[in-house]
Amino acid sequence: MSRLRLNHLTRRFEGMVAVDDLSLEVADGEFLTLLGPSGCGKTTTLRMIAGFLGPDAGDIWFDDRRMTDVPPHRRNTAMVFQSYALFPHMSVAENVGFGLLMRKLPKAESAARVAEALELVSLTGLEDRRPGQLSGGQQQRVALARAIVTRPDILLFDEPLSNLDAKLREKVRVEIRELQRRLRITSIYVTHDQAEALVVSDRIVVMNRGRIEQIGDPDTIYRAPDNAFVADFIGLTNIIEGTLLDDRTVDTPIGRLRIDGGQPLKSTRVKLIWRPEDMKATANGLANRLSGTVRQVIFRGNVTEFTFDVNGHSLRGQLDNDLRPREGETVTLGLDADRIRVVG
Amino acid sequence: MRPRLAIVLLVLPGAGFIFLFLAVALTITALQSVGVLGFGREPGFTWEFWVALFDRQFLDSFLFSAKVGIGSAFGTLLLAYPLALFLRRRRAGARFIGSVVKIPLFVPALVAAFLILNTMAFHGVINGVLLGFGLVDQPLRMLNDKFGWGVLAIQVWKNLPFQLLVLASVLATIRTDIEDAARNLGAGPWQVLRHIILPLSMPGILIAVVLVFIMTFGDFAITRIAGPIYPTSLAVLMHTKALTLSEWNLAACIGMVIMVASLAFVGVYARTARLLQGTAA
């Protein structure tokens, strides 16, 4: 278990900047997620932490140890790969015990720790199977056991759930989170799935084009995105550009909207951001009223999502099923001032 | 067309061609070796040729062929495997080296033997250099030597690119993330080689060794040109018996020995390899 510090990391690939002057601190025992679209530099960052890639500039520190030039096999990280990367010619027990064999642990101690790790991921009894004889979910658990058994300083996850079906994915992400809470291993988790990031993380780093767009806990990232990219990437969002008329009023293509005052803004051109669920079916007592024609209605099971046009701008709304609007109907929704996030 | 008929029509030309010549040729050879068929002699079943076969010359030839077969197969592997590992990484120059080492593939065995003859001969380039630098007092006998170093050298040269292709294709199937996983778990370069790359490329190594053995065990051309006067390879002996001494039945016996020995080698080798793999994994 270690504190991780990335210091002005830069990495280029054939002229393209994959990671651009990235600095980051991860506390001991923290679960941090690197979230972003493909090509945002999250996997490159992870591979630099593991040591598979060297940075072109910058430094990597585990506690007070500078790891930048340390080869991967001396770093004491452990990675769970997207493909699981299990050794096909070894049994489950040999796969899990590989890291201990490399550390030259006595056989008896190694066997005990392998058994313990397999029990943690509920795979006891499958020791002698080959990876090819296991289901995807079981292979995923072997990969997890293989990673934690070495008691790594830092646990690395490279989109570990993307090869599982949706139901299993939800189950395993909760299990990963619980396991990490119990073991308190500093963890870096790479994903492009915002729902996954919100569930597992202590903090989320939203990345785009090799840079950090925002760092924050899941609630902050969802509720208070710093910019339109973060808002758009995390969940469904309404984003409208406008001009600040005064501290509390913004002129937008869908009308004048009231916002909370006192927001520190650099210019009068601003973007207003709010979530579909922030709009209520009754506009009474709320600062803003939005009326429009319903275009598309999507039944989600627990709620109903819909799009509606206000002055030619499509907005996303969400209501309880019993308040579900019909296509072509005109709806009027209320939006309170404190629900609107204003970014410069 | 009924599917079964279609399958027969698909398979028949290739399989039939092979079966025809294999079955017919094998049968004739087998019958010849026991005197049922033969030229210049009353046909009739007899073991006399088999009894006559096992003389000193035959045994020496057998051992020589076995030595060349095994020596070429593993000698080539010793050079080809590290090369295949090097070429696996797309390092600078790997493409160039990869192309150059494949050249022997396009050179027929006989031509190869003559090419190397000029290099290794008594008055060839290597001896010239060695003498020039005063490293040896007399030219070294590297061709037609009693042991067969010349033959081995040419065989390795000839078969290296072939093994390289087999090994490279197997190494290419090992995913890099499996290697990464091993490094990540604490394996240094040698441990990755020993615990991951080597076991996973074992099927390719087996095939590479077996194929080169079979090709070199029955070799004629290279031994004829660069091999010792005595002993010679089984194929050369067979040729002499048949065409020089007109002992066709004896030649048939030798032909049988070459084929059966090749098969036996493959069988024993495959079983050993499977056993070794079983205990290692």
Side-chain angles (χ1 to χ4, degrees):
Chain A
M1 275 153 267
S2 286
R3 198 174 72 248
L4 170 70
R5 206 166 85 236
L6 307 180
N7 221 345
H8 299 287
L9 275 190
T10 297
R11 170 75 198 201
R12 294 179 200 87
F13 289 110
E14 287 159 15
M16 298 278 292
V17 181
V19 173
D20 191 3
D21 195 33
L22 182 128
S23 294
L24 185 63
E25 277 206 47
V26 187
D28 193 1
E30 189 180 15
F31 198 116
L32 181 112
T33 297
L34 303 178
L35 175 68
S38 57
C40 74
K42 56 191 192 298
T43 297
T44 303
T45 306
L46 196 76
R47 293 181 67 79
M48 285 196 284
I49 298 169
F52 300 141
L53 287 173
D56 292 324
D59 274 311
I60 297 165
W61 296 79
F62 294 0
D63 290 330
D64 300 321
R65 290 165 289 148
R66 183 175 174 276
M67 304 304 274
T68 319
D69 304 315
V70 176
H73 63 282
R74 300 221 184 87
R75 286 204 184 185
N76 201 27
T77 65
M79 192 187 272
V80 179
F81 290 79
Q82 183 173 10
S83 64
Y84 316 139
L86 299 179
F87 308 129
H89 57 301
M90 297 182 195
S91 69
V92 167
E94 283 164 342
N95 263 283
V96 177
F98 187 80
L100 304 177
L101 182 71
M102 293 302 107
R103 285 162 177 77
K104 299 193 169 59
L105 231 68
K107 274 221 171 81
E109 192 187 341
S110 171
R113 272 170 65 174
V114 168
E116 184 192 17
L118 285 174
E119 202 186 325
L120 270 177
V121 297
S122 325
L123 279 182
T124 308
L126 298 183
E127 288 83 355
D128 297 327
R129 297 273 188 92
R130 292 287 169 100
Q133 301 170 300
L134 302 178
S135 70
Q138 289 170 327
Q139 290 185 30
Q140 217 281 336
R141 286 155 194 271
V142 176
L144 195 58
R146 187 176 70 173
I148 59 173
V149 77
T150 58
R151 295 174 190 159
D153 287 335
I154 297 173
L155 199 50
L156 305 169
F157 295 90
D158 185 12
E159 311 218 8
L161 305 184
S162 52
N163 286 330
L164 299 179
D165 62 65
K167 192 144 179 91
L168 203 53
R169 198 152 52 209
E170 271 180 45
K171 183 166 173 281
V172 177
R173 72 188 181 200
V174 173
E175 286 174 357
I176 285 181
R177 182 55 174 146
E178 275 175 6
L179 194 62
Q180 191 271 345
R181 280 229 173 91
R182 191 148 23 132
L183 301 173
R184 303 300 312 164
I185 304 174
T186 311
S187 300
I188 313 294
Y189 191 101
V190 161
T191 184
H192 62 266
D193 182 336
Q194 40 97 11
E196 210 169 287
L198 293 173
V199 172
V200 297
S201 318
D202 288 321
R203 279 195 304 160
I204 296 173
V205 178
V206 182
M207 290 180 69
N208 184 30
R209 299 172 184 215
R211 289 177 165 275
I212 294 174
E213 294 281 353
Q214 187 174 359
I215 306 180
D217 60 69
D219 203 56
T220 308
I221 294 282
Y222 188 81
R223 286 278 150 222
D226 276 351
N227 53 53
F229 178 84
V230 175
D232 198 33
F233 197 77
I234 312 277
L236 299 174
T237 312
N238 294 301
I239 302 173
I240 290 288
E241 287 193 40
T243 311
L244 216 54
L245 295 179
D246 61 49
D247 198 27
R248 291 174 175 276
T249 316
V250 179
D251 190 32
T252 77
I254 58 168
R256 290 191 178 178
L257 294 179
R258 301 281 294 165
I259 60 168
D260 263 6
Q263 306 207 36
L265 296 165
K266 280 171 275 177
S267 78
T268 55
R269 286 299 297 171
V270 293
K271 284 181 177 138
L272 305 185
I273 298 167
W274 69 95
R275 300 285 175 191
E277 66 268 27
D278 290 332
M279 290 181 287
K280 305 298 176 198
T282 49
N284 292 344
L286 299 180
N288 300 294
R289 295 164 73 95
L290 296 166
S291 290
T293 313
V294 175
R295 289 287 170 219
Q296 195 181 21
V297 180
I298 305 157
F299 178 57
R300 282 276 177 220
N302 52 343
V303 291
T304 296
E305 286 170 15
F306 57 95
T307 57
F308 63 111
D309 281 359
V310 184
N311 285 353
H313 279 262
S314 182
L315 296 181
R316 289 171 172 283
Q318 179 184 312
L319 287 173
D320 287 343
N321 288 326
D322 45 357
L323 299 170
R324 172 188 339 186
R326 276 191 298 271
E327 280 175 31
E329 195 178 81
T330 302
V331 287
T332 300
L333 299 180
L335 175 64
D336 216 354
D338 66 354
R339 291 293 183 172
I340 302 178
R341 176 92 177 153
V342 188
V343 297
Chain B
M1 198 185 299
R2 278 175 304 150
R4 183 168 296 183
L5 185 64
I7 290 169
V8 170
L9 286 177
L10 270 176
V11 171
L12 198 62
F17 183 76
I18 291 198
F19 180 76
L20 180 75
F21 282 92
L22 190 70
V24 172
L26 267 179
T27 312
I28 291 176
T29 312
L31 290 177
Q32 268 187 356
S33 73
V34 290
V36 176
L37 274 177
F39 308 108
R41 167 184 181 284
E42 273 304 293
F45 181 85
T46 170
W47 288 115
E48 67 174 276
F49 304 111
W50 282 103
V51 176
L53 179 68
F54 290 97
D55 60 2
R56 184 62 197 264
Q57 189 189 15
F58 167 79
L59 288 177
D60 283 345
S61 289
F62 184 88
L63 289 178
F64 180 81
S65 283
K67 177 172 72 185
V68 168
I70 293 172
S72 306
F74 288 99
T76 311
L77 183 69
L78 228 51
L79 298 183
Y81 194 70
L83 197 54
L85 285 177
F86 169 79
L87 295 178
R88 185 162 178 253
R89 306 237 168 257
R90 305 190 184 288
R91 271 184 275 246
R95 241 183 118 89
F96 176 73
I97 295 172
S99 312
V100 168
V101 295
K102 284 190 191 103
I103 288 174
L105 272 184
F106 304 99
V107 182
L110 197 66
V111 180
F114 276 111
L115 281 177
I116 295 195
L117 212 60
N118 296 325
T119 317
M120 294 176 62
F122 209 64
H123 298 291
V125 180
I126 295 179
N127 270 324
V129 171
L130 289 177
L131 283 170
F133 282 99
L135 293 170
V136 292
D137 300 329
Q138 283 181 345
L140 298 174
R141 175 163 281 288
M142 289 181 286
L143 289 172
N144 308 110
D145 58 313
K146 188 117 180 102
F147 185 84
W149 288 113
V151 177
L152 278 174
I154 298 171
Q155 289 289 16
V156 167
W157 184 84
K158 177 83 187 101
N159 289 303
L160 185 72
F162 176 72
Q163 275 202 353
L164 197 63
L165 284 180
V166 174
L167 294 172
S169 67
V170 169
L171 286 175
T173 64
I174 303 175
R175 296 201 320 265
T176 47
D177 60 353
I178 287 185
E179 241 180 292
D180 283 344
R183 293 201 291 160
N184 179 245
L185 290 166
W190 286 109
Q191 286 163 317
V192 172
L193 182 66
R194 188 180 142 215
H195 293 283
I196 309 297
I197 307 288
L198 207 54
L200 287 179
S201 54
M202 203 45 93
I205 294 177
L206 298 188
I207 291 168
V209 164
V210 162
L211 289 179
V212 171
F213 174 84
I214 292 170
M215 289 190 293
T216 53
F217 181 71
D219 168 69
F220 176 80
I222 293 174
T223 313
R224 188 79 180 79
I225 286 166
I229 310 297
Y230 183 94
T232 182
S233 75
L234 284 175
V236 173
L237 183 67
M238 180 177 167
H239 179 263
T240 312
K241 292 272 190 218
L243 294 176
T244 312
L245 305 173
S246 291
E247 296 181 28
W248 287 91
N249 305 89
L250 268 179
C253 291
I254 299 174
M256 296 295 292
V257 168
I258 294 177
M259 287 185 288
V260 172
S262 294
L263 271 176
F265 174 82
V266 174
V268 170
Y269 180 77
R271 183 153 304 178
T272 317
R274 216 171 301 141
L275 277 177
L276 284 177
Q277 243 181 335
T279 52

